[in-house]
Amino acid sequence: MNWSLIIVKIKRGNFVSCIFFLLFVIIMSGAIISCRSSPRQPTTTSSTTTQTTITSTTTSSTSTTTATQPTTTTQTTQTVTINLEAQNVDFSEHTINVPALAIVTLNFTNNDSGLTHNFAVYTDSNATSLIFRGSDITGPGKVTYQFQAPQRGTYFFRCDHHPTAMWGTFVVQ
Ligand SMILES: [Cu+2]
């Protein structure tokens, strides 16, 4: 075994490999230089910025502040005005109609000079159950009565001083 020859062979191998390595380095460096020297192309990276426009749908909460309107309770106590006259010992009206539970204003005029009349309401012609009795008025004179009508029904009115001559039907609707 000639050891000197082996060493030479190894050296030669190393030399060849060194040559290849150097060539590689030169080529690579050349490539790098060429890359750098080459004018950079404007890298048109079409950055399609997909603008996700978050349409903040501000659902304007329409605060429908339903103004609590004053509830006009239809439970209104109606008012009604009746004009009634007494003349020659007789009423001018023999049927009086009023709404149920209405506040009745009765303008009573007594045209009979020297005679006293009044206006009174009863449940019926028996005149035993009184609903309203107006004060006496001697003619000529005027008086205003005010009272609340009863529930629906047919009632009776009269002059307490002339019950057989002055009477009528008081109708509550
Ligand atoms: Cu009378």
Side-chain angles (χ1 to χ4, degrees), residues 121-131 133 156 158:
V121 181
Y122 299 87
T123 53
D124 53 56
S125 59
N126 291 324
T128 51
S129 183
L130 181 72
I131 291 171
R133 174 176 286 150
F156 175 79
R158 73 174 190 184

mmCIF file of all heavy atoms in Angstrom, residues 121-131 133 156 158:
data_model
loop_
_atom_site.group_PDB
_atom_site.id
_atom_site.type_symbol
_atom_site.label_atom_id
_atom_site.label_comp_id
_atom_site.label_asym_id
_atom_site.label_seq_id
_atom_site.Cartn_x
_atom_site.Cartn_y
_atom_site.Cartn_z
ATOM 1 N N VAL A 121 -139.790 64.249 40.920
ATOM 2 C CA VAL A 121 -139.687 62.996 40.154
ATOM 3 C C VAL A 121 -139.846 61.830 41.120
ATOM 4 O O VAL A 121 -139.248 61.798 42.197
ATOM 5 C CB VAL A 121 -138.337 62.890 39.412
ATOM 6 C CG1 VAL A 121 -138.264 61.594 38.604
ATOM 7 C CG2 VAL A 121 -138.110 64.082 38.505
ATOM 8 N N TYR A 122 -140.669 60.858 40.701
ATOM 9 C CA TYR A 122 -140.901 59.642 41.485
ATOM 10 C C TYR A 122 -140.670 58.424 40.597
ATOM 11 O O TYR A 122 -140.641 58.522 39.368
ATOM 12 C CB TYR A 122 -142.331 59.621 42.038
ATOM 13 C CG TYR A 122 -142.641 60.777 42.970
ATOM 14 C CD1 TYR A 122 -143.102 61.992 42.479
ATOM 15 C CD2 TYR A 122 -142.490 60.626 44.340
ATOM 16 C CE1 TYR A 122 -143.383 63.038 43.339
ATOM 17 C CE2 TYR A 122 -142.781 61.674 45.207
ATOM 18 C CZ TYR A 122 -143.223 62.874 44.706
ATOM 19 O OH TYR A 122 -143.507 63.914 45.553
ATOM 20 N N THR A 123 -140.531 57.313 41.261
ATOM 21 C CA THR A 123 -140.309 56.083 40.496
ATOM 22 C C THR A 123 -141.543 55.735 39.653
ATOM 23 O O THR A 123 -141.424 55.214 38.548
ATOM 24 C CB THR A 123 -139.989 54.898 41.435
ATOM 25 O OG1 THR A 123 -141.025 54.834 42.421
ATOM 26 C CG2 THR A 123 -138.631 55.075 42.095
ATOM 27 N N ASP A 124 -142.698 56.040 40.173
ATOM 28 C CA ASP A 124 -143.913 55.755 39.402
ATOM 29 C C ASP A 124 -145.030 56.686 39.860
ATOM 30 O O ASP A 124 -144.828 57.521 40.767
ATOM 31 C CB ASP A 124 -144.328 54.282 39.544
ATOM 32 C CG ASP A 124 -144.454 53.857 40.987
ATOM 33 O OD1 ASP A 124 -145.218 54.512 41.731
ATOM 34 O OD2 ASP A 124 -143.770 52.890 41.385
ATOM 35 N N SER A 125 -146.177 56.505 39.244
ATOM 36 C CA SER A 125 -147.299 57.416 39.500
ATOM 37 C C SER A 125 -147.850 57.301 40.922
ATOM 38 O O SER A 125 -148.653 58.131 41.358
ATOM 39 C CB SER A 125 -148.426 57.148 38.491
ATOM 40 O OG SER A 125 -148.860 55.814 38.583
ATOM 41 N N ASN A 126 -147.437 56.277 41.645
ATOM 42 C CA ASN A 126 -147.859 56.187 43.035
ATOM 43 C C ASN A 126 -147.248 57.320 43.870
ATOM 44 O O ASN A 126 -147.785 57.659 44.928
ATOM 45 C CB ASN A 126 -147.473 54.839 43.644
ATOM 46 C CG ASN A 126 -148.276 53.687 43.053
ATOM 47 O OD1 ASN A 126 -149.467 53.852 42.738
ATOM 48 N ND2 ASN A 126 -147.652 52.529 42.881
ATOM 49 N N ALA A 127 -146.129 57.834 43.371
ATOM 50 C CA ALA A 127 -145.453 58.963 44.032
ATOM 51 C C ALA A 127 -145.133 58.676 45.489
ATOM 52 O O ALA A 127 -145.271 59.524 46.374
ATOM 53 C CB ALA A 127 -146.303 60.225 43.902
ATOM 54 N N THR A 128 -144.730 57.433 45.711
ATOM 55 C CA THR A 128 -144.339 57.056 47.071
ATOM 56 C C THR A 128 -142.815 57.033 47.224
ATOM 57 O O THR A 128 -142.296 57.273 48.315
ATOM 58 C CB THR A 128 -144.896 55.669 47.417
ATOM 59 O OG1 THR A 128 -144.557 54.755 46.391
ATOM 60 C CG2 THR A 128 -146.415 55.717 47.570
ATOM 61 N N SER A 129 -142.132 56.703 46.135
ATOM 62 C CA SER A 129 -140.664 56.650 46.174
ATOM 63 C C SER A 129 -140.112 57.853 45.422
ATOM 64 O O SER A 129 -140.156 57.907 44.190
ATOM 65 C CB SER A 129 -140.190 55.335 45.547
ATOM 66 O OG SER A 129 -138.791 55.226 45.626
ATOM 67 N N LEU A 130 -139.612 58.783 46.185
ATOM 68 C CA LEU A 130 -139.130 60.033 45.618
ATOM 69 C C LEU A 130 -137.716 59.904 45.058
ATOM 70 O O LEU A 130 -136.856 59.266 45.673
ATOM 71 C CB LEU A 130 -139.164 61.121 46.696
ATOM 72 C CG LEU A 130 -138.723 62.520 46.293
ATOM 73 C CD1 LEU A 130 -139.766 63.169 45.384
ATOM 74 C CD2 LEU A 130 -138.499 63.378 47.540
ATOM 75 N N ILE A 131 -137.507 60.510 43.914
ATOM 76 C CA ILE A 131 -136.157 60.576 43.319
ATOM 77 C C ILE A 131 -135.593 61.982 43.484
ATOM 78 O O ILE A 131 -134.448 62.161 43.877
ATOM 79 C CB ILE A 131 -136.200 60.152 41.832
ATOM 80 C CG1 ILE A 131 -136.499 58.652 41.735
ATOM 81 C CG2 ILE A 131 -134.883 60.472 41.135
ATOM 82 C CD1 ILE A 131 -136.781 58.158 40.333
ATOM 83 N N ARG A 133 -137.037 66.141 44.506
ATOM 84 C CA ARG A 133 -138.110 67.102 44.740
ATOM 85 C C ARG A 133 -137.531 68.511 44.681
ATOM 86 O O ARG A 133 -136.611 68.839 45.453
ATOM 87 C CB ARG A 133 -138.781 66.878 46.098
ATOM 88 C CG ARG A 133 -139.814 67.981 46.436
ATOM 89 C CD ARG A 133 -140.543 67.688 47.740
ATOM 90 N NE ARG A 133 -141.517 66.606 47.568
ATOM 91 C CZ ARG A 133 -141.873 65.762 48.533
ATOM 92 N NH1 ARG A 133 -141.301 65.845 49.717
ATOM 93 N NH2 ARG A 133 -142.787 64.856 48.305
ATOM 94 N N PHE A 156 -141.807 59.080 36.747
ATOM 95 C CA PHE A 156 -143.003 59.917 36.828
ATOM 96 C C PHE A 156 -142.644 61.260 37.451
ATOM 97 O O PHE A 156 -141.870 61.311 38.425
ATOM 98 C CB PHE A 156 -144.056 59.192 37.693
ATOM 99 C CG PHE A 156 -145.289 59.949 37.975
ATOM 100 C CD1 PHE A 156 -146.313 60.068 37.018
ATOM 101 C CD2 PHE A 156 -145.501 60.559 39.230
ATOM 102 C CE1 PHE A 156 -147.477 60.767 37.304
ATOM 103 C CE2 PHE A 156 -146.671 61.249 39.500
ATOM 104 C CZ PHE A 156 -147.649 61.353 38.538
ATOM 105 N N ARG A 158 -144.276 65.243 38.621
ATOM 106 C CA ARG A 158 -145.508 65.962 38.903
ATOM 107 C C ARG A 158 -145.191 67.242 39.679
ATOM 108 O O ARG A 158 -144.061 67.457 40.137
ATOM 109 C CB ARG A 158 -146.469 65.091 39.719
ATOM 110 C CG ARG A 158 -146.042 64.929 41.168
ATOM 111 C CD ARG A 158 -147.050 64.186 41.999
ATOM 112 N NE ARG A 158 -146.719 64.260 43.438
ATOM 113 C CZ ARG A 158 -147.403 63.635 44.382
ATOM 114 N NH1 ARG A 158 -148.419 62.843 44.079
ATOM 115 N NH2 ARG A 158 -147.078 63.772 45.642
#
